[in-house]
Amino acid sequence: MELSEIEKLIAQISLGDHAAFSRLYDKTSGKLFAVCLRVLKQRATAEDAMQEAYVKIWKHAGRYQVTGQSPMTWLITIARNTAIDRLRAQKYSDNIDDYGNQLQAAGPTPEQSAVAASEAQRILICLDELETDRRSAIKGAYLDGESYKDLAARFDVPLNSMRTWLRRGLAALRECMSR
């Protein structure tokens, strides 16, 4: 069985490879931040939790075993558990009436769900207006978490050209969404 790139990076990190840790961070930080933000709801707290999660990843990389499961599952579990631990550590008032004000139901409200679905449909329509390679690059960068460097290599363009593709593609999406 061939190891995925993330599994290889985790293996290198377990040997103390700082460059591998930096590459892993570049490849996964967006997804792990989203996990922490989903749990904690506050950007600053989520950033702290994500930083703590990466410290745990650095310290415990040697514990990761290739089991056929996604290495992202392992990373996401660490980030999620770290965020949940932070949430639990927050001190709540002993007054039971205060809990209703402090705890929110998980997930969006029905109204938020309807708006999100409508926006998602509009984004898909706008994405279809982009050139195929630009659309693929934007999806790779912002939906799949690929780095600019990886995208530039995949599309065989210089890194600065990839940055320009993404910047112009986002500007086109913004313009389309404002219509």
Side-chain angles (χ1 to χ4, degrees):
M1 180 174 105
E2 185 172 320
L3 297 178
S4 75
E5 184 177 1
I6 293 176
E7 288 172 323
K8 289 177 186 175
L9 291 173
I10 293 170
Q12 292 169 337
I13 291 167
S14 71
L15 300 174
D17 187 336
H18 292 274
F21 185 73
S22 178
R23 287 193 307 274
L24 180 77
Y25 182 87
D26 290 342
K27 289 187 170 300
T28 61
S29 61
K31 288 182 182 181
L32 297 190
F33 176 71
V35 168
C36 292
L37 187 59
R38 176 84 174 147
V39 171
L40 295 167
K41 310 281 190 248
Q42 296 176 344
R43 184 174 187 85
T45 309
E47 289 171 349
D48 290 344
M50 185 181 75
Q51 182 178 359
E52 186 178 336
Y54 275 102
V55 169
K56 289 178 182 178
I57 291 166
W58 174 260
K59 288 181 178 179
H60 303 296
R63 293 185 185 174
Y64 174 74
Q65 299 292 323
V66 180
T67 60
Q69 293 178 334
S70 165
M72 280 305 298
T73 301
W74 184 72
L75 297 172
I76 288 169
T77 299
I78 291 173
R80 182 177 171 277
N81 290 345
T82 301
I84 290 170
D85 289 346
R86 282 193 168 246
L87 192 61
R88 288 178 181 154
Q90 293 175 352
K91 294 183 180 178
Y92 291 109
S93 168
D94 289 335
N95 184 347
I96 194 74
D97 294 330
D98 290 343
Y99 282 98
N101 297 329
Q102 294 175 356
L103 299 177
Q104 298 177 5
T109 65
E111 180 184 5
Q112 290 170 330
S113 294
V115 169
S118 173
E119 290 293 310
Q121 186 61 33
R122 287 182 57 214
I123 289 171
L124 290 174
I125 291 168
C126 290
L127 275 171
D128 285 339
E129 293 181 8
L130 298 176
E131 295 175 35
T132 304
D133 52 358
R134 291 349 187 233
R135 178 175 52 244
S136 295
I138 286 176
K139 285 181 177 180
Y142 300 107
L143 299 179
D144 299 332
E146 292 182 62
S147 70
Y148 290 5
K149 183 178 176 182
D150 290 342
L151 288 168
R154 179 163 52 118
F155 289 97
D156 196 28
V157 297
L159 182 59
N160 285 337
S161 295
M162 179 52 60
R163 289 185 177 127
T164 301
W165 280 19
L166 295 171
R167 186 178 65 250
R168 288 181 181 166
L170 289 176
L173 284 176
R174 215 176 356 262
E175 179 185 329
C176 177
M177 291 293 289
S178 67
R179 288 187 239 149

